[in-house]
Amino acid sequence: MLQTVSKWVVNQLVVRGEIAEQRKAVYLYGCELILSTGLSVLCILLAGGVAGRFGQALSFVLFFMPVRTVSSGYHAPSYGKCFVLTTLLAFLCVSGGVLCRAYVPVWVMWCLFVTAQLVIWLRGPFRSHKHPLKEELVKRNRQYMHRMQMVEMAAGAALCLAGKQEIFDTAVMATITVACMIVIAEKEEWKYVGNVGSAD
């Protein structure tokens, strides 16, 4: 369905002369990405609202999506799988936040938060040999990523000071997930590079 809607939107843009026919594939990819991300966010927030966990759901979206977009990392092979994976991760992070609030001291959560932020800061954005990015884009993404991380650290402190510990714990789980996705992508990249090297 995403492909169908995206094709219709891009075809309308081509017909109206808004974009060139040669750029159609690029816009199609971008349209699918926007629709997929928007649908994921909507479903996560709706599910959070129905479950009485809207604050935690919003925390996941705000601490996961922006940094994840520029830090990259593991990607599901299709938009459908990406939607399912993101929704599942949101559920796990919200549930994990609830459990952490009950059993994990605040100082431990802060240690985990800072550690995950450091992993992202030092290892992001992830660069793939399969889909190389221009160095200029990597530098720009790194700058955005670092700025967003500083905002996240300040937001984490504000949540704790406001007594919103469960929302902060969900934010920590989301940040750990972003860091893990970078590490997973790096391991897959090492396997890919090793296979290519051995084939040569």
Side-chain angles (χ1 to χ4, degrees):
M1 181 174 170
L2 281 176
Q3 285 184 331
T4 304
V5 174
S6 298
K7 281 178 183 175
W8 183 84
V9 170
V10 172
N11 283 334
Q12 290 300 309
L13 291 172
V14 171
V15 168
R16 295 179 185 186
E18 300 287 338
I19 61 172
E21 182 77 32
Q22 296 84 353
R23 301 281 292 165
K24 197 171 174 180
V26 175
Y27 280 88
L28 186 61
Y29 169 77
C31 193
E32 287 176 354
L33 184 61
I34 289 168
L35 288 173
S36 173
T37 303
L39 190 60
S40 289
V41 169
L42 185 62
C43 285
I44 290 165
L45 294 179
L46 280 173
V50 169
R53 300 282 179 187
F54 182 80
Q56 288 93 326
L58 183 61
S59 178
F60 171 83
V61 168
L62 294 177
F63 279 80
F64 180 82
M65 297 278 188
V67 170
R68 164 88 173 125
T69 302
V70 288
S71 68
S72 192
Y74 173 79
H75 284 283
S78 70
Y79 287 111
K81 289 179 181 177
C82 179
F83 172 79
V84 171
L85 178 62
T86 304
T87 307
L88 177 62
L89 289 173
F91 172 77
L92 292 174
C93 286
V94 170
S95 301
V98 172
L99 289 172
C100 288
R101 178 72 184 101
Y103 300 108
V104 183
V106 177
W107 69 268
V108 173
M109 294 306 294
W110 265 102
C111 288
L112 292 171
F113 188 48
V114 171
T115 302
Q117 291 285 8
L118 276 173
V119 170
I120 297 166
W121 185 285
L122 296 172
R123 299 171 90 154
F126 170 73
R127 287 183 274 189
S128 168
H129 283 84
K130 281 196 241 180
H131 308 288
L133 297 173
K134 291 181 180 176
E135 192 60 34
E136 182 184 328
L137 181 59
V138 172
K139 285 181 182 176
R140 193 184 319 144
N141 282 355
R142 185 176 291 113
Q143 287 175 343
Y144 288 150
M145 184 185 77
H146 287 169
R147 285 175 195 157
M148 281 187 271
Q149 286 186 270
M150 287 188 278
V151 170
E152 285 188 353
M153 291 296 290
L159 286 170
C160 287
L161 288 171
K164 305 290 185 181
Q165 194 61 42
E166 207 167 273
I167 293 175
F168 171 71
D169 290 346
T170 301
V172 174
M173 300 304 291
T175 306
I176 291 170
T177 303
V178 174
C180 288
M181 292 180 99
I182 293 174
V183 173
I184 289 167
E186 286 177 343
K187 288 187 176 179
E188 286 190 347
E189 183 74 3
W190 293 333
K191 287 180 188 175
Y192 169 77
V193 172
N195 290 338
V196 171
S198 60
D200 293 342

